[in-house]
Amino acid sequence: MDVFPRAALAAARTERRSASRRIDAEDADLGIDLHTQSRGGTYPAYVFVNTPAAKRLADMLRPDSIYIQAGLDGAVEDMLNVNGIPAVTYELGAPEVFDEAMIARALRGVRNVMIDRKMLPGTPDLSDPEPFLGNLVTNVDS
């Protein structure tokens, strides 16, 4: 079973937006978009993916969960993925907060990707728990 059935949908939406938002990916080998939730919420460490190559990046980043989805219209990850460049968006907690543990975890994950891609020597640190893989996100309000 293909776990990335919506990749074609993301490609179609991204193609419509490519004229208004240009990314010169000529020299890019991969993309990792690191950021936090905007105001009003807190995310766990999770990664959006929509291709098998992006899933490999997510596995190396070691978030709490990996969310397989079609993507957002015009998102950087989608614009790169449809052009054959593996890319992910890595959500890292709450806005306007310096969460040292979250930052350290993200840095460890980016280093893992760089090692896996032979950009750095060494062995990836896969000591963080294996991510939960899902395709549905639910908000929890308290």
Side-chain angles (χ1 to χ4, degrees):
M1 180 174 127
D2 183 7
V3 296
F4 300 98
R6 292 179 270 175
L9 176 60
R13 287 190 305 205
T14 301
E15 188 174 336
R16 287 196 311 266
R17 295 275 309 223
S18 63
S20 63
R21 185 174 186 188
R22 300 219 184 266
I23 295 178
D24 184 3
E26 189 174 297
D27 296 320
D29 294 319
L30 62 93
I32 302 172
D33 182 7
L34 300 167
H35 60 85
T36 65
Q37 165 62 295
S38 55
R39 296 185 186 272
T42 300
Y43 285 147
Y46 82 94
V47 173
F48 290 104
V49 302
N50 65 17
T51 67
K55 167 90 168 40
R56 176 67 184 181
L57 295 178
D59 287 336
M60 291 291 109
L61 289 168
R62 305 303 277 192
D64 295 319
S65 61
I66 297 171
Y67 176 39
I68 298 173
Q69 49 84 42
L72 298 172
D73 231 3
V76 172
E77 72 170 286
D78 296 317
M79 298 186 84
L80 292 172
N81 280 313
V82 298
N83 287 294
I85 299 166
V88 297
T89 297
Y90 193 172
E91 301 288 353
L92 297 163
E96 302 173 359
V97 174
F98 287 93
D99 182 334
E100 303 237 354
M102 186 78 78
I103 292 167
R105 188 170 178 192
L107 289 173
R108 187 167 50 252
V110 170
R111 189 173 197 290
N112 284 345
V113 169
M114 294 176 75
I115 291 169
D116 187 59
R117 300 287 297 221
K118 310 291 187 236
M119 297 166 75
L120 292 175
T123 303
D125 176 356
L126 303 178
S127 61
D128 289 311
E130 187 172 337
F132 175 81
L133 182 64
N135 62 359
L136 177 67
V137 171
T138 301
N139 290 333
V140 177
D141 297 318
S142 62

